[in-house]
Amino acid sequence: MNSLSLRLVIATTIVFMASLSCTFAVLVQEAKYGLFRVQRNSLTVQVDTLAERIRIVDGRPTLELGDLAEEVGKTVSYALLDRQGRVIQSWGLRGVDVSPAVIERYDTDDPFGFSIERWLDPNSGDPVMLILPDAGGKQRVVVTVVAREGLFVQASMPLLDSHIAIADVLYTFTEGTVLAILLPLLLAMIAIPIIVRLTLKPIRRVSRQAQEMEAATLDRRLSVNRVPSEMRGLVRAFNDLLARLDTAWRLQREFTANAAHELRTPIAALRAEVEAIVPAPARSVLAVHFDKVARLLAQLLALAEADSRPIDTAAHLDLTVLAKAVVTDMAPAVLASGRDIAVELAGDGPTLVRGDPGLVEIALRNLVDNAIRHSRPQSAIRVVIDERRISVSNTGSDIPEEVRKAMFERFWKKDRRTGGSGLGLSIVDTIMTRLGGSVIVSSSSGTATFALGFQPGSGA
């Protein structure tokens, strides 16, 4: 689950479902308490009315029920209590004795535990409310209030079944509220991926900028324009890292190029001195070593240029023209080694490709030089041009598969006794990678072929 959009959709769905479940639970609880609250309020209004109707008849207190007398015996019962909370007179079911201590703290006997109303105001209402069983064992709500003369008036009625109210509330909630919640949930699941995609658009732009960077473009910096504030710290930290890498890479590149360049002159002078002093038999051995050093310095300079030379992405070159120029320039060295070299055109199509002519020339020269050193004497080196490809083939020995994977590593040599520096093919690979091209190695029947693939030019 790596997608941010998917994570947000799942998180939103969980939040919505959790909210829906909590809403159900609260409504069920309030539905249970709702009927009790309705009964309590109804009885409270009645006892408050009766508290004003206490009369003294023949020295005995009594209640004038008035219009409330019609409800006696049906659902509601009334009672008059003395100062000690004992029942004096009852209408309907017998009244309930109430302890004065209970009356003093106007305790609320709520059978349903927590309710929002009681949580907001735990001492709401002065009447004493009790839930007690009647003679038949059924629960009834009993409300008692303080009247005049220290007497108490009481009203009670059976506790209504809350299941009907719960079912009605849940039905109403399911019919209306659930739809009102599910519709936003559906819209959120559709909108979140779109919003995330639009929000992350600057991040994708920064990611493309980072992908386009290479060793020669470490001086560039990622843009923080329109990047979300939560990501700007990361982008700035990455820019700081690029700055440090650029500094280190520049120092390394300058050191390699300067060292190789500065060593060429003293080595050439040393070689001249040696050739003038050392006797002829030893001179040839030393010349081989001088050639190795000179070649290594030349390859180090080529490697530094391949790594750091800025590339014009709009530059184009003609492979045919370049190949003929390189072969013409290197032909004397090839012929002196006892080998032949030729340029061949494999088709009649255009050979214009995208690439830096200077870097491509370095790559091609390295392939021809590699073919000279690994081909058999008296064999031919073929440089074949085929539209967007240029390949160099030589006759020698087959290249095993495991060798093909390692031969482009820097300073890799199959045989340490050979005169190569181990940098030629790595330079070719570096150049083609920077140009967005490819290097393909094939080997069959003793013939090895290195093919360079380029991107087509604008006129191809």
Side-chain angles (χ1 to χ4, degrees), residues 254-328:
E254 291 176 355
F255 172 78
T256 303
N258 291 337
H261 181 75
E262 294 297 330
L263 287 173
R264 295 177 71 176
T265 300
I267 288 177
L270 180 61
R271 180 171 186 169
E273 292 287 343
V274 169
E275 289 180 348
I277 299 174
V278 177
R283 192 182 306 162
S284 60
V285 177
L286 293 175
V288 172
H289 292 292
F290 276 116
D291 289 339
K292 287 184 179 181
V293 174
R295 176 177 175 78
L296 176 59
L297 294 178
Q299 293 289 54
L300 287 175
L301 288 172
L303 182 61
E305 185 173 4
D307 281 332
S308 61
R309 177 170 174 165
I311 295 178
D312 183 4
T313 56
H316 294 78
L317 61 102
D318 191 322
L319 291 180
T320 303
V321 174
L322 179 68
K324 289 181 178 180
V326 171
V327 169
T328 300

Side-chain angles (χ1 to χ4, degrees), residues 321-335 341 343 361 364-365 368 372:
V321 174
L322 179 68
K324 289 181 178 180
V326 171
V327 169
T328 300
D329 185 57
M330 298 187 69
V334 175
L335 296 176
I341 188 169
V343 178
E361 179 180 348
L364 183 56
R365 283 181 175 275
V368 173
I372 293 173

Side-chain angles (χ1 to χ4, degrees), residues 49 71 97 115 130 140 168 175-177 218 233 236 240 297-298 310 329 338 349 355 363-364 368 375 379 387 418 434:
T49 302
E71 302 297 326
D97 294 339
S115 77
L130 303 172
R140 60 173 173 163
D168 183 63
E175 187 178 36
T177 310
L218 288 177
R236 291 192 181 101
D240 292 340
L297 294 178
D329 185 57
L364 183 56
V368 173
S375 61
S379 63
E387 294 187 358
T418 60
R434 293 196 60 199

